């Protein structure tokens, strides 16, 4: 599904990703955990093709295709999705209007207005969102929790093959966390893979990962099963630095 | 759209349907430039009363005596001697598809306008299908005593009313271009709404089949009598072009006590046009006037719709949106004059600039002494689509009264890389993402327009943006 090989990337001349390797198979959920500043958001943005980052080495292959030269919209149409840590505001554009455009942009056949309406109603129910939410302007004045729910709503509408979730759990209360996790589990299946990026173990109680990776200084320094998340919770990131600081 | 088909075949011309005697359309002044002889010729051709001829001639003197304004946009390349001042619409608009300039043709094609919609393209002629609609509406209007006709007919059929109000809101010598219009005006609309009459369906210039819709020097006068309501929609959102490069209209609105007038315009001029328009309204006691104004195209637009709040409790609102692409200058804004107590006003101006485009907000807010407890809010927002684009703001404020509440807010924003990336990560192409940001930006104004106009406005801006993306 996704294969990242020896990825190096920089922003404004500063190297942030320094030889990152990761392989995600069909239907797998991977968690990436790491302290602040370890490069998690950088990885997310680079995977999705943010123009401000420069990839200086390595490769990203998605569904057998080298995506390095592809623009963000082309990657989206291939089935990649990024749930942003800090989604942008787009004043004057309603959630419904935006989703209509986006869904039709990634789908091969356009949905009729009626089909779109039904789909949106259905997914908003999953996300326990008030239908009136669809008429609000995209992310404008949204609370932190509303923004994250809205990201997952978009994911449900777009049905990607691979979702990268950049700290979707941060700042959520327990109810919101459950709803967001429900959204992700909704898509879970052999056709859907996810990279759940998180600072904390919390979300992994609701979205059970198949693999857990620890990121430090722009690299994956150790990987394991879901028990690794528990170890990390026990011992903290200082342990990671001590144990793997020299590797990183 | 195949180029070998004529306008007639496309159903876009008005004379095909025999609404008028075709000969009328062949009239054109014998030479370019303007002098008393030309003005007299125009007046004579229209069989006007003597007073109108005198009015025109006096206006002409005023036009000659005024220097070309040096503020606002650059008018120095505008050559008044190179213009035909009176051409009948057919000459004006091109007789066959071949006469239509290429950029306009491309726009039609890109718009993919279905036949039904083409009929509403006032820029190339009037409408056939709307005739049926028009006639049933007209019966209703007639019954209610509503007058809605072209200005030339208005002068013939309602001379007293026209004589009473014509030029009272915008005197001929108000400025060089109002003087010019007063000397050579032709076409435009004359509307009178009797006391207490509410017209629910907007009056649209394109319903006015016998009219010269989009003359270069059209003249519009709307009188809403006490307690009446009318929404007037000017022209059309389709690309409008003239064989000449100067469009200079005058629009006067009078809202009597408790009346309300809303006047909406979306214009898209070809890129060689100077669009210099004077629009002004008077709102009497508890009356409301709203200008909704969209400016696209043109080389230079200078347009500042004004509302004079002369009666207590009157309200004025100006919503304007302008798009300046490569080589274009949109110098637009609004003027509000509070001349009575308890009056209120709101100006919302949105501009979008791209490439070498330049947009200017130029506004005047004046509160006379004694206009106490007046409230005003001015908000101008500029959106820059790239690094070179330019925007300026000139908000003139003159306040002679202490007991007033005024607010002014100006913002300049750029379409951010992160914003575009966010939208693109959802599958939108860069152009689509840009268009979405722009449409969102103008949404507060688009939502004030009837739906089909709002859609058209969005589409036109999108087309203009594509054009300059290259
Ligand atoms: N424009 C920039 N110039 C230099 N360094 C940057 C820039 N943006 C982010 N960084 C640095 O990159 C590192 C990784 O950031 P980020 O990917 O956001 O980490 P995380 O998401 O894991 O907290 C941080 O040390 C941050 O300071
Ligand atoms: Mg981060």
């Amino acid at each position: 599904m996704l294969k990242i090989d020896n990825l190096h990337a920089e922003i404004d001349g500063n190297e942030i990703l320094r030889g990152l390797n990761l392989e995600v198979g069909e239907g797998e959920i991977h968690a990436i955990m790491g302290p602040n500043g370890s490069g998690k958001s950088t990885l997310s943005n680079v995977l999705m093709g943010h123009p401000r980052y420069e990839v200086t080495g390595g490769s990203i292959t998605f569904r057998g295709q080298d995506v390095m030269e592809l623009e963000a919209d082309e990657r989206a149409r291939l089935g990649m999705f990024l749930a942003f840590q800090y989604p942008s505001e787009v004043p004057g554009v309603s959630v419904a209007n935006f989703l209509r455009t986006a869904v039709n942009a990634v789908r091969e056949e356009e949905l009729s207005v009626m089909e779109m309406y039904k789909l949106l109603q259905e997914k908003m129910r999953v996300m326990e969102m008030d239908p009136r939410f669809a008429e609000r302007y995209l992310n404008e004045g949204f609370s932190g929790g509303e923004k994250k729910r809205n990201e997952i709503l978009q994911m449900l509408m777009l049905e990607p093959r691979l979702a990268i979730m950049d700290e979707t759990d941060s700042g959520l209360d327990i109810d919101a966390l459950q709803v967001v996790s429900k959204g992700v589990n909704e898509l879970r299946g052999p056709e859907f893979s996810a990279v759940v990026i998180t600072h904390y173990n919390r979300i992994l109680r609701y979205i059970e990962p198949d693999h857990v990776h620890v990121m430090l200084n722009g690299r994956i320094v150790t990987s394991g099963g879901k028990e690794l998340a528990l170890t990390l919770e026990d011992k903290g990131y200082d342990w990671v630095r001590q144990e793997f600081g020299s590797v990183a | 759209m195949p180029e070998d088909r004529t306008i007639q075949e496309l159903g876009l011309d008005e004379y095909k349907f025999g609404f008028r005697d075709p000969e009328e359309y062949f009239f054109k002044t014998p030479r370019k430039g303007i002098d008393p002889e030309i003005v007299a010729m125009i007046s004579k051709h229209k069989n006007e009363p003597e007073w109108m001829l005198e009015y025109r001639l006096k206006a002409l003197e005023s036009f000659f005596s005024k220097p070309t304004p040096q503020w606002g946009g650059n008018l120095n390349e505008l050559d008044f001697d190179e213009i035909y001042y009176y051409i009948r619409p057919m000459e004006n608009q091109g007789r066959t598809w071949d006469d239509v300039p290429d950029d306009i043709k491309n726009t039609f094609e890109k718009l993919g306008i279905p036949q039904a919609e083409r009929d509403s393209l006032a820029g190339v002629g009037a409408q056939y299908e709307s005739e049926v609609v028009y006639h049933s509406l007209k019966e209703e209007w007639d019954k209610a005593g509503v007058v809605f006709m072209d200005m030339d007919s208005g002068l013939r059929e309602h001379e007293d009313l026209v004589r009473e109000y014509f030029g009272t809101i915008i005197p001929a010598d108000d400025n060089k271009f109002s003087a010019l219009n007063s000397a050579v005006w032709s076409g435009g609309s004359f509307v009178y709404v009797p006391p207490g009459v509410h017209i629910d369906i907007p009056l649209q210039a394109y319903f006015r089949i016998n009219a010269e819709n989009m003359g270069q020097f059209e003249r519009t006068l709307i009188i809403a009598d006490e307690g009446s309501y009318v929404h007037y929609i000017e022209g059309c959102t389709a690309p409008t072009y003239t064989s000449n490069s100067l469009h200079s209209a005058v629009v006067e609105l009078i809202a009597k006590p408790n009346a309300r007038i809303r006047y909406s315009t979306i214009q898209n001029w070809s890129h060689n046009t100077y669009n210099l328009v004077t629009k002004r309204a008077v709102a009497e006691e508890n009356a409301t006037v709203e200008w909704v104004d969209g400016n696209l195209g043109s080389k230079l637009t200078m347009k500042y719709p004004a509302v004079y709040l002369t009666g207590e409790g009157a309200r004025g609102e100006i919503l304007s949106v302008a798009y300046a692409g490569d080589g274009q200058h949109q110098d637009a804004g609004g003027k509000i004059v509070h001349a009575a107590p308890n009056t209120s006003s709101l100006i919302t101006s949105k501009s979008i600039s791209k490439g070498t485009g330049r947009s200017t907000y130029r506004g005047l807010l004046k509160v006379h002494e004694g206009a106490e407890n007046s409230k005003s809010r001015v908000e101008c927002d500029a959106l820059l689509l790239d690094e070179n684009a330019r925007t300026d703001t000139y908000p003139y404020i003159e306040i002679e009264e202490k007991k007033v509440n005024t607010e002014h807010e100006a913002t300049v924003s750029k379409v951010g890389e992160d914003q575009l990336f966010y939208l693109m990560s959802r599958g939108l192409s860069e152009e689509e993402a840009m268009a979405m940001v722009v449409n969102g930006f103008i949404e507060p104004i688009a939502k004030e327009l009837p739906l089909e106009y709002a859609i058209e406005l969005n589409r036109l801006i999108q087309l203009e943006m594509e054009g300059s993306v290259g």
Side-chain angles (χ1 to χ4, degrees), chain A residues 147-176:
Chain A
K147 282 185 183 166
K148 299 301 175 72
R149 265 183 217 227
N150 181 41
E151 290 295 290
I152 302 306
L153 174 68
Q154 292 175 38
M155 183 178 85
L156 293 182
M157 292 290 289
L158 296 175
E159 293 186 10
R161 299 292 298 264
L162 170 73
I164 304 142
M165 304 195 327
D166 189 7
E167 293 205 33
T168 302
D169 54 333
S170 295
L172 292 188
D173 61 27
I174 199 78
D175 294 342

Side-chain angles (χ1 to χ4, degrees), chain A residues 201-212:
Chain A
N201 191 16
R202 217 169 50 135
I203 192 172
L204 303 179
R205 285 192 211 122
Y206 303 99
I207 306 172
E208 211 171 287
D210 301 304
H211 301 273
V212 175

Side-chain angles (χ1 to χ4, degrees), chain A residues 45 50 52 72-73 76-77 81-82 84 88-89 91-93 98 101-102 105 137 139 151 154, chain B residues 417-430 432 436-437 439-441 443-444 447:
Chain A
N45 284 324
H50 195 302
R52 206 183 308 143
D73 57 321
R77 286 195 287 269
F81 180 90
L82 169 59
F84 285 71
S88 294
E89 294 182 3
V93 176
F98 166 60
T101 312
Y137 293 152
N139 292 318
E151 290 295 290
Q154 292 175 38
Chain B
E417 199 176 34
D418 284 327
Q419 214 176 17
L420 283 183
F421 175 60
Y422 183 62
L423 296 176
M424 287 176 72
S425 79
R426 302 306 188 233
L428 278 69
S429 69
E430 189 172 352
E432 287 169 332
M436 184 166 269
V437 173
N439 286 352
F441 177 72
E443 167 68 12
K447 73 168 193 246

Side-chain angles (χ1 to χ4, degrees), chain B residues 342-363:
Chain B
N342 300 312
T343 47
S344 60
S345 64
L346 174 66
I347 298 180
T348 309
S349 161
K350 301 246 174 195
S351 70
I352 300 148
S353 319
K354 184 176 168 78
T356 59
R358 179 179 169 198
S359 64
T360 305
Y361 169 77
R362 193 180 301 276

Side-chain angles (χ1 to χ4, degrees), chain B residues 251-308:
Chain B
V251 179
E252 298 175 287
L253 311 183
I254 299 161
K256 296 280 191 180
N258 297 304
R260 178 171 161 212
I261 303 177
R262 169 171 281 217
Y263 189 107
S264 302
T265 315
I266 306 240
Q267 284 185 334
N268 184 24
W269 295 97
S270 64
H271 291 197
N272 60 354
T273 306
Y274 288 87
N275 184 33
L276 312 167
V277 172
T278 311
K279 286 182 164 174
R280 192 176 299 159
V282 163
E284 298 182 5
E285 201 180 329
N286 291 318
T288 298
V289 172
E290 297 149 314
W291 295 105
V292 182
D293 206 63
N295 297 301
L296 284 95
S298 86
K299 175 178 184 151
L300 168 66
T301 289
M302 287 172 68
K303 193 200 282 186
Y304 324 97
V307 186
Y308 283 61

